[in-house]
Structure formats: structure tokens, C-alpha cells
Amino acid sequence: MKRIVLTGGGTAGHVMPNLALIPELQRLGWEIHYIGSRDGIEKELLSGTGLPYYAIATGKLRRYLSLKNFTDPFRVLGGLYQSFRLLKKIRPRLVFAKGGFVSVPVVIAAWLNKIPVILHESDITPGLANRICLPFASLVCVSFPETLKYLPPGKTVLTGNPIRKFLLSGSRAEGLALCGFAPDRPVLLVIGGSLGAARINSLIRAILPHLIKDFQVIHVCGRGRLDPALEKTGGYRQFEFIGPELPHILAAADLCVSRAGANFLFELLALKKPALLIPLPKTASRGDQILNARSFAAQGFSMVLPEEEATEESLLERIHQLYRNRQEFVERMENYAAKDGLTEVVKLITAKAQTRVTRGPW
């Protein structure tokens, strides 16, 4: 039996490409194991897959003063020991790492066990975890062509981003029915990421009386962020989180307001959905979403509204502008020669699983 270990976590963005790979790898006869953290979102997201899940100790390098900066290195060492023992037991042909700090001890342990490692970087600039893992990896897959200049040319491949195939099978009629919406009015989907976005939520709710004059609004606002006062608002439906219904919700949407996480951007591209992107500001991130959004805007797939410039007036104006010009965005997305990230990554996994690590990282 061909065995593979997938790892990655901390945020949904470090798990979704793995979820996209799982059905295709299973179809090809792979036995899949997952190594993640004890409390990360990856454990919840993997719970419905039936895969063996192994939780290890994890830590992270913070860019600010924290007592955990002194204790987390010991957690990482503990996770490295656990990963080494697990990989000895599982004996996979390959480790595929999506990023997040849970992947660091797993990747190093794979190298120590002479197991090939493939990394995947969704954002334009590599995250810190992937930069740490880079010397121990055989290959790095990237989603954006701009990323190639940041990584060694000999081990970097532009594959695109693996997309969950089930997202492409949605029914607009079912999505409208789920929300109780009419088929003859445009639908705006607002989604702030896996945890929601407080700033986007407050702006959307402030302009909601104006929005529902022209749009039916689906608002994914995050766990614990529903507004009970809006439950009976006509033309508006709010969700904490959307699970299996997501393909139908996306099929129903004519345009989208969202953050600029790379995975969701490539899903919107695959579905040909024009979007107004409000990326996480640098005060709340390393700036990767800002670069992602700029890339999509430069290619004519999306519009961008920096959070620092987002007001009720500017948001309402940009949404109407996006809708007026939506067909131009759709045509550019239809003409984009996108790589099939899922197929490309699976091909590399199949090829690299035949090799073993024989050299040191430096």
C-alpha cells in the first residue's frame, strides 16, 4: 500500500489544499495519514474524513515579546521527537506539508528518516514555517508565478493551487433555496475567512439597508458573530459558518466581498466569481493578503479596497462598481490559462514518492 503523510495547520488556509488532495489521492490508492496539532483548526476540519490523525506538540516563533518564545522551542523539540517516532511507525513514501508551524517538526523528522518532502506555498511570499522547512524539502510547489523569485529555481515548481473539486458541483437553485432568495435578483456573498472579519461585518451591517435595495445578501460572519436583530431582514441571510452547502452558496453568488486568502482566491477564480477584496492589513498579518489581492487586481480578476480606506461610502460604491463591470472580470477569468493545481501536485507526489533523501539540508 502506498502511504503518504499530510501535514499543515493553524489556519484553514494551511489545511484546505490538503482537503482538496485527499479524495484524489484515495482514488489513486494512497493510504493517507495526517499529522497536526492538538488544538488547531486542522483537527476539526479533518474530523469528517475518517483519516488517522496524530496530534503532536507544537510551538511558533512570534515576532513580538512573549514568554511563550522561551517555552515554545521545547514544544517544537517535543513535536520533532513525536514526529520522528510516528514516521518510523507509519513509514510513508512521502510527506506533503502545507505550512503552519505544526509542519516544521514533521518536515525535519521526515528528512531525518530520509523521506522525501514536498512543500506547498499558497501565498506570493513564503511564510516563515515554509522558509524554515525549505532546506529539508525536495520540492516546493507554488500558486503564484510571482513566488518563483523568492525560492531556489532548482526545487520550485509553479503548480497552481489545489482546488476542492466538490466546490465546482454547486447548484444555483439549491443555493437560492437554502437562503430563501428569489432567482431574479443578484446575490452578493460576503465572507470574511474561517473566523469571520469583525471590520467587514460591521461595515456590511451598516450599509445593509442600502445593499438590500439592489442585492440579496449572503453573509458568512464567523462563529459567535451572528446579529439576532437581523434574522428577519428580507433579502439577507447570515451564517456563522458554511459547510457542505458551500458549493451551492457559491453557485448562487453573482459577486463576492471577501478577505484575500490565497486558497479562496483561487476557488473564486475557478468558479469565475468577481470579487471585491479587503485584505488583512499589515497590523494584523505579515502582509501576504495585500500582495495576493494586488496580484489578482493586476490580472483583472478582482477589485481591491484596503481596510484602512474602507468606509461605508467607499464599500457601497465599490460593490456597485464591481457589479456594473462584472462581465469584464468574468471574461478575464475565463481567458486565464490556469494550471490545474490538483492534477499538477498529484503528479509531483507520484513522481517524488519513488525517491529517497540522500543529502543533507546544507
Side-chain angles (χ1 to χ4, degrees), residues 33-55:
H33 299 251
Y34 205 101
I35 299 179
S37 62
R38 295 189 179 102
D39 304 315
I41 193 172
E42 63 271 22
K43 187 173 184 179
E44 177 184 353
L45 292 174
L46 269 293
S47 61
T49 64
L51 298 182
Y53 183 91
Y54 311 91

Side-chain angles (χ1 to χ4, degrees), residues 116-138:
V117 173
I118 295 180
L119 304 179
H120 188 279
E121 178 57 60
S122 293
D123 293 311
I124 287 181
T125 57
L128 180 57
N130 271 349
R131 296 203 304 272
I132 292 171
C133 291
L134 182 61
F136 304 94
S138 305

